[in-house]
Every structure is written in structure tokens, then in C-alpha cells.
Amino acid sequence: MIPVFLLLAAAFSAPAAPAPTLLEIATGGKTGQGLTAPMQIVLLLTALTLLPAVVMSVTPFLRIVVVLHFLRQALGTQSTPSNQVLIGMALFLTILIMQPVAMEMYHKGWEPLEANRLSTAQAFDQGTQPLKTFLTRFAREKDIRLFVEVSKTPPPRSPADVDLRVLIPAYILSELKAGFQIGAVLFLPFLVIDLVVASVTLSIGMIQLPPVMISAPFKILLFVLVDGWSLVMSSLMKSFYV
């Protein structure tokens, strides 16, 4: 405790220095060399708030969670599996798929930056190349052309020249379409079961009994017999490795 009081006494007894301006606080002094530690912390916390949106939008998480939601609706099980289970499953599958891309980004961008072989801008360009390659594989040309026209940027000469601000929304639109297409295909066999059960119940005069109560066990039984979870997960995983 004594050294702390000594430091406080020395600080109060020292002559007052002129208050720094906001620009000096942000840039680390009058020399403007880099960012101060408080400003770096603020920028890091700001980036962390955007991290969930990035993980949900710029990874396979988007397609997987949309397909799983449609599957649950098609089965008619309401909240089983729960949202936590579906999100957890989608998150771990996303980590499995994106791990090679993340490692390549680390080796091409972060490692040279730590070794002072590249500047921050160069490290960002090198590190985002694997991500751009991944996004380009699944972004439709039609969606890329749409956002190139909206942003009024010059048309890229090659896929590697597409800017991230164009590529990311194009990828999101493409993944939404792919997820809804897969969800519609998943709905069809369960819709047939619902129609058959509804026709049978109406033909025998069971008007008061909701057809969903009878069709739900048949849909779950069919899904279990064909090993539906394994088929859906394997198809989703293979769709990102084609």
C-alpha cells in the first residue's frame, strides 16, 4: 500500500501538464505514431460486437441454420430440437468447414504482420484472399453483378478483383437462396404425408381431430427410419466441399 500512496503523492505534487487533445489521445501523442492502448481496446470491443454478425453471415452458418429451421418446421415438432441445439450444431459444423480457411488466413496475414514483414494494409489484403476465394465459390455471378451495379464500382476483371463490400452481400443472398431451395425440397415428403393423413381423416369423418396430431408420429418415424439427421448433415457438409 505504501508505494501506491507514494506514487499518488508524486503525481499530485508534480506540475500539471497541458490536457491532451482528442486527436493526441487517439494517435498516441503529438507525433501521431500508432494508436494508444485505450483506443486499441475501444476498436477491439467494437470489432467484437460485430463478430456474431460476421460469423452468422460470412460463413456456412447461414445456410446450415436456415436448413435446420426448415427441417424442424417440416417435422412439425415445434421447438424440438431447441434453438440452442440447432445453433450449436450449425456453429460446430461451421467451425469444421471454415477451419482450413481460417488457418490459411492466419498464415498469410497474421504471421507476416507479427514478424513485421508486411504492413497492416498488406497483411489485410493477403489475409482476406482465402476468405474471398471461399466466398467467390458460392456467390452467384448474378448477385455479384447486382451489387457491383448498386455500389457503382468498376466491373472486376477477375474473381480475385471483386471487393469484399460487394462479395459479402452477394454471398449472403446466394446462401439464402440455397438454404430456401434445400428447405423446400425437405418439405415435400412431409407435405405428402400431411395431405394423405388429412384426406384419410376427412374421408372417415374425423373432422374434429386435427390431422397434425396423426401425421406428426408418421413423419418422425419416417425421418428416423431413413436416418434423416445423418443424410441432412452429410448433404450439407458435401455441398461446401464440391
Side-chain angles (χ1 to χ4, degrees):
M1 295 294 294
I2 296 177
V4 176
F5 286 114
L6 291 177
L7 291 174
L8 290 175
F12 282 112
S13 61
T21 63
L22 181 61
L23 181 61
E24 293 175 4
I25 294 174
T27 58
K30 296 181 179 180
T31 57
Q33 300 294 326
L35 295 174
T36 60
M39 184 57 63
Q40 292 178 3
I41 293 174
V42 170
L43 293 177
L44 179 61
L45 292 177
T46 304
L48 288 177
T49 59
L50 300 176
L51 184 60
V54 172
V55 171
M56 289 187 292
S57 303
V58 197
T59 62
F61 183 91
L62 177 60
R63 182 191 301 187
I64 295 172
V65 78
V66 168
V67 171
L68 292 180
H69 174 75
F70 272 107
L71 178 60
R72 187 175 66 180
Q73 294 295 321
L75 286 172
T77 54
Q78 302 300 324
S79 59
T80 304
S82 63
N83 290 332
Q84 291 83 355
V85 174
L86 295 184
I87 292 174
M89 188 182 300
L91 182 60
F92 282 107
L93 290 178
T94 301
I95 293 173
L96 181 62
I97 296 171
M98 292 298 295
Q99 183 178 4
V101 179
M103 293 302 297
E104 189 176 357
M105 293 173 64
Y106 175 78
H107 293 311
K108 287 187 175 181
W110 186 258
E111 282 186 346
L113 180 64
E114 281 188 328
N116 294 324
R117 296 196 303 267
L118 295 176
S119 64
T120 304
Q122 292 173 338
F124 178 80
D125 292 336
Q126 294 293 329
T128 54
Q129 285 302 320
L131 179 62
K132 292 175 68 174
T133 303
F134 176 82
L135 298 180
T136 306
R137 288 174 53 197
F138 302 102
R140 297 185 305 164
E141 183 179 351
K142 177 181 178 182
D143 295 327
I144 295 177
R145 190 183 307 114
L146 168 65
F147 286 102
V148 167
E149 295 175 357
V150 169
S151 60
K152 294 181 173 57
T153 56
R157 291 173 295 181
S158 65
D161 296 332
V162 182
D163 195 2
L164 276 177
R165 63 175 178 166
V166 171
L167 191 56
I168 289 176
Y171 171 81
I172 294 173
L173 276 186
S174 302
E175 286 297 283
L176 284 174
K177 181 179 180 180
F180 273 74
Q181 287 176 337
I182 299 173
V185 173
L186 287 175
F187 250 105
L188 291 179
F190 302 109
L191 180 61
V192 172
I193 295 176
D194 287 332
L195 291 175
V196 171
V197 171
S199 301
V200 172
T201 54
L202 289 176
S203 63
I204 62 179
M206 300 174 62
I207 302 176
Q208 301 297 329
L209 182 64
V212 178
M213 293 184 61
I214 302 176
S215 63
F218 287 102
K219 291 190 289 186
I220 296 174
L221 182 61
L222 174 65
F223 190 70
V224 172
L225 288 177
V226 300
D227 198 8
W229 286 113
S230 179
L231 288 175
V232 172
M233 293 304 142
S234 62
S235 300
L236 279 174
M237 295 291 289
K238 290 177 182 177
S239 67
F240 290 101
Y241 288 104
V242 176

